[in-house]
Amino acid sequence: MEMIKFHEMIEGASKIALASHLNPDGDNLGSLSALSKYLKKLDKDVYTIFDDVMIDDFRFLFKGIKTVKSSEIEDIDLFITLDSADLDRIGKDAVELYRKSKKTICIDHHHTNDGYADFNVVEKNSSSTCEVLFKLLKRDLIDEEIATSILTGISTDTGSFKYENTSSDTHRIAAELLNFGAKNLDITVNVYQSNPKSKIMLLNEALNRLEFYLEGKIAMIALPKEISLSPNYKKSDSEGIVEYIRDIEGVEIAIFLKEKENEIRVSFRAKSYADVSKIASKFNGGGHIMAAGATYYGSLEKAKDEILQEAIKEIKCKES
């Protein structure tokens, strides 16, 4: 039924806008590029919105796709959000366009999604938005480029199929995507084996600020803005640092704080039993049990202290 409703809404629209959340990752970029290419096959007038900075690792997914800023378009028949549990995460300009659109669809997998669109396809037990999207697409229109985009999102959101959100369905879908011609080597080289030197240098800076708490069960790195905003580093260079922290022996909760001009971006990861989405929710954030994010307004030292206290509470609650 969801697939039928999805295609009915697409068939009734001429101008379609697609948007995913700011601070993009592989899942929302994979789903954004896959759906953009799919809708072009249906001869739709597609506007692929990108109001953020493209991460170099994922540029290969957008060959042939022209991205636009939300402020550059108007009069949209159908607005589709991808991988955004909270409407505000798509950005202020995109929200304004969304509210003016005739119809809206949300495709997502976050358990904090409250169903804000006219039509919501939210599968909270799916590994990724790309997995949800795959189930909505007509198989005869999936080619190797679309399959590669979807497999990229599944691979990145499952930690290369290591995380607990990886199900037997996830593996079956991945196998189908390979049968459609998904280029696994392209994903591996671009996403996992092309780290720029600046990224490694930033990782070195970050590790020099690594701190452990609660007998090593909590690990935190806080990057001050003189480092995070340095012209020596690109915005995407900090991607993966929080996972690096989580992978340390004995660490259950990993926390990465990145100070910007007027805010602090916070990333959380859990290893086995903590629910970091609960911590993120205390700071106007959200996400998954094992991976979440938030934005903090205030000083870096105050952010470290308040977030650490919530992380300690979460560990002690789960261990009591």
Side-chain angles (χ1 to χ4, degrees):
M1 287 297 294
E2 287 181 337
M3 182 178 182
I4 294 172
K5 176 67 172 177
F6 174 69
H7 279 278
E8 283 179 349
M9 292 184 73
I10 287 173
E11 288 168 9
S14 295
K15 294 179 67 175
I16 302 176
L18 310 179
S20 54
H21 62 72
L22 300 179
N23 297 311
D25 58 23
D27 189 25
N28 70 300
L29 291 176
S31 57
L32 186 66
S33 63
L35 188 53
S36 178
K37 292 172 182 176
Y38 183 85
L39 292 175
K40 285 182 179 179
K41 285 195 164 192
L42 294 172
D43 295 322
K44 296 299 177 180
D45 193 2
V46 184
Y47 295 86
T48 306
I49 295 171
F50 204 81
D51 289 343
D52 210 325
V53 178
M54 177 66 71
I55 301 173
D56 289 342
D57 297 357
F58 300 100
R59 287 187 185 278
F60 76 107
L61 299 178
F62 286 82
K63 291 178 181 177
I65 296 177
K66 181 181 178 181
T67 59
V68 298
K69 299 291 186 183
S70 302
S71 57
E72 297 173 353
I73 53 177
E74 56 186 14
D75 299 326
I76 295 299
D77 297 319
L78 178 62
F79 194 118
I80 303 176
T81 66
L82 297 151
D83 198 44
S84 188
D86 184 338
L87 179 59
D88 289 338
R89 287 204 70 197
I90 68 175
K92 183 179 178 181
D93 289 342
V95 169
E96 185 175 340
L97 180 64
Y98 172 96
R99 297 197 187 284
K100 293 177 181 178
S101 301
K102 296 173 184 175
K103 297 287 183 180
T104 59
I105 295 175
C106 169
I107 303 172
D108 189 29
H109 71 123
H110 294 93
H111 72 276
T112 54
N113 192 304
D114 61 2
Y116 52 80
D118 296 327
F119 177 53
N120 300 280
V121 186
V122 181
E123 295 187 4
K124 300 180 181 182
N125 293 321
S126 289
S127 69
S128 55
T129 294
C130 276
E131 183 174 320
V132 179
L133 177 63
F134 177 76
K135 298 173 186 176
L136 294 172
L137 304 186
K138 294 178 179 178
R139 298 297 183 263
D140 61 331
L141 293 177
I142 298 177
D143 57 22
E144 64 179 32
E145 288 191 357
I146 293 171
T148 298
S149 292
I150 296 174
L151 186 58
T152 299
I154 292 174
S155 176
T156 53
D157 244 33
T158 59
S160 298
F161 303 92
K162 296 192 300 285
Y163 298 162
E164 194 174 17
N165 62 349
T166 307
S167 67
S168 56
D169 279 346
T170 307
H171 283 290
R172 278 191 286 268
I173 289 171
E176 279 194 69
L177 291 167
L178 290 172
N179 288 335
F180 279 116
K183 296 179 179 179
N184 193 47
L185 182 60
D186 284 1
I187 298 170
T188 301
V189 171
N190 283 282
V191 178
Y192 302 114
Q193 297 178 348
S194 297
N195 289 324
K197 291 178 182 178
S198 60
K199 184 170 185 174
I200 303 305
M201 297 305 294
L202 183 62
L203 176 61
N204 181 57
E205 287 275 10
L207 291 177
N208 285 329
R209 291 168 169 78
L210 178 62
E211 298 176 289
F212 294 96
Y213 306 92
L214 203 64
E215 300 176 329
K217 294 174 184 176
I218 299 171
M220 179 189 293
I221 289 175
L223 277 186
K225 62 184 177 183
E226 57 263 28
I227 299 297
S228 62
L229 298 180
S230 167
N232 295 326
Y233 308 114
K234 294 179 292 186
K235 180 179 179 180
S236 59
D237 285 341
S238 62
E239 291 294 319
I241 290 178
V242 69
E243 284 85 6
Y244 200 98
I245 306 169
R246 179 207 54 213
D247 292 346
I248 299 170
E249 181 182 9
V251 171
E252 174 57 28
I253 294 179
I255 306 168
F256 176 55
L257 297 90
K258 183 178 178 181
E259 186 179 28
K260 301 177 80 65
E261 281 295 348
N262 301 306
E263 63 189 26
I264 298 166
R265 298 284 175 84
V266 190
S267 298
F268 301 93
R269 295 294 184 273
K271 184 172 289 178
S272 58
Y273 59 84
D275 182 351
V276 291
S277 69
K278 287 172 59 178
I279 305 172
S281 69
K282 301 286 185 179
F283 303 97
N284 300 310
H288 306 291
I289 292 173
M290 309 295 282
T295 302
Y296 184 95
Y297 298 95
S299 73
L300 189 59
E301 286 304 315
K302 189 176 179 182
K304 286 175 61 178
D305 182 63
E306 291 186 8
I307 291 169
L308 175 60
Q309 295 309 312
E310 292 299 330
I312 291 172
K313 287 179 187 176
E314 173 61 15
I315 293 280
K316 290 184 174 180
C317 176
K318 287 296 191 294
E319 292 185 346
S320 62

